[in-house]
Amino acid sequence: MDNSLLIGSHVSMSSPNYVLGSVEEALSYEANALMLYTGAPQNTKRISLEKMKIDEAQALLKENGIPFENVIVHAPYIINLANSIKPEVSEIAREFLEIEAHRTKAIGATYLVLHPGSYTTATLEEGLNQIISNLNQIQIPKEVCICLETMAGKGSEIGRTFEEIAYILEHVKHPDNYGVCLDTCHIHDAGYDVFHFDEVLEMFDHVIGLEKLHVVHLNDSKNEKGSNKDRHANVGEGIIGFETLCSIAYHPKLTHIVKILETPYINGKSPYKEEIQMLRKKKYKKII
Ligand code: FE
Ligand code: FE
Ligand code: ZN
């Protein structure tokens, strides 16, 4: 397998094989990276670590020469650390995130992707400060890095600009425990010009620092730049297009960074094996 491109997709994690099943799914796509949720993304119900077949999953990764850093964990998206209107909501989110960070370590993963949250009917500034206050009350294992995801800016979503992410990173007590996940669909929908990606990266470097970037979500977008919609399209099937996504995947400054596909299923079938192949061959082929 050509391992020069670190690429995978989000995969399921479910009974009976859990993390082992996730790794098997990724291997079936010929991926050398993967992203999983430690339970359903919409809720906080979690099964015990002993049942998750973590040792077997780690052995299988090793057998296939895939480093554990290529396993990314995504926190459930219902977590809203920014809710200052209902602080009890953000309190539950805070407690859950702490548990999730420990589960990330137990799985052997390093990067835990997190949506910063939504400020609801408060202000952006109140939302940002609520996030910071919550993060500063959490104890995170030193091996774990929480990666704040760049967001499309749907509704009152925080993380629409690099400045918002930078503000959080500048105010957390333990900055070494934090990084960033850049989602190509989200930054495009938020108004960044992904067709001039060098300039976007320069901006990122200037505002946040490129050394903080640890994960890329490689998605096409169904909508125009600046639409604030957040609707992912399959690779080459959206406004961003194959050529641009491919050049981001192979960007020389991002070689060491894992790229994760979160594109939609096609007719109930996973598109990931084909999309990974297209990107490896640098050649678009319509999935039918
Ligand atoms: Fe996400
Ligand atoms: Fe994403
Ligand atoms: Zn999205």
Side-chain angles (χ1 to χ4, degrees), residues 74 115 149 217 262:
H74 197 309
H115 294 182
E149 183 166 349
H217 284 170
E262 301 174 298

Side-chain angles (χ1 to χ4, degrees), residues 163-206:
E163 283 77 8
E164 292 171 18
I165 306 258
Y167 182 84
I168 300 170
L169 295 178
E170 278 157 20
H171 289 86
V172 287
K173 265 195 265 167
H174 302 287
D176 289 350
N177 276 132
Y178 294 91
V180 179
C181 165
L182 183 134
D183 188 310
T184 56
C185 167
H186 294 177
I187 59 168
H188 163 83
D189 285 20
Y192 289 95
D193 185 0
V194 293
F195 303 106
H196 295 98
F197 193 69
D198 280 333
E199 284 159 39
V200 174
L201 268 194
E202 244 168 69
M203 250 187 274
F204 187 101
D205 192 31
H206 182 72

Side-chain angles (χ1 to χ4, degrees), residues 25-66:
E25 186 182 337
L27 291 172
S28 81
Y29 303 147
E30 286 161 35
N32 53 11
L34 57 139
M35 183 174 82
L36 52 88
Y37 290 82
T38 70
Q42 312 84 350
N43 66 50
T44 54
K45 270 187 242 123
R46 294 295 180 261
I47 66 138
S48 73
L49 284 167
E50 299 81 72
K51 288 191 189 145
M52 284 172 63
K53 304 206 178 177
I54 292 168
D55 292 350
E56 285 131 292
Q58 290 187 343
L60 188 57
L61 282 170
K62 205 167 173 191
E63 225 173 85
N64 286 276
I66 301 175

Side-chain angles (χ1 to χ4, degrees), residues 40 62 73 92 106 111 115 128 137 167 193 211 221 226 233 254 258 274 276 278:
K62 205 167 173 191
V73 177
I92 296 167
Y111 301 115
H115 294 182
L128 282 166
Q137 292 173 63
Y167 182 84
D193 185 0
E211 70 286 355
S221 172
L254 307 180
V258 164
E274 285 86 350
I276 288 171
M278 280 182 220

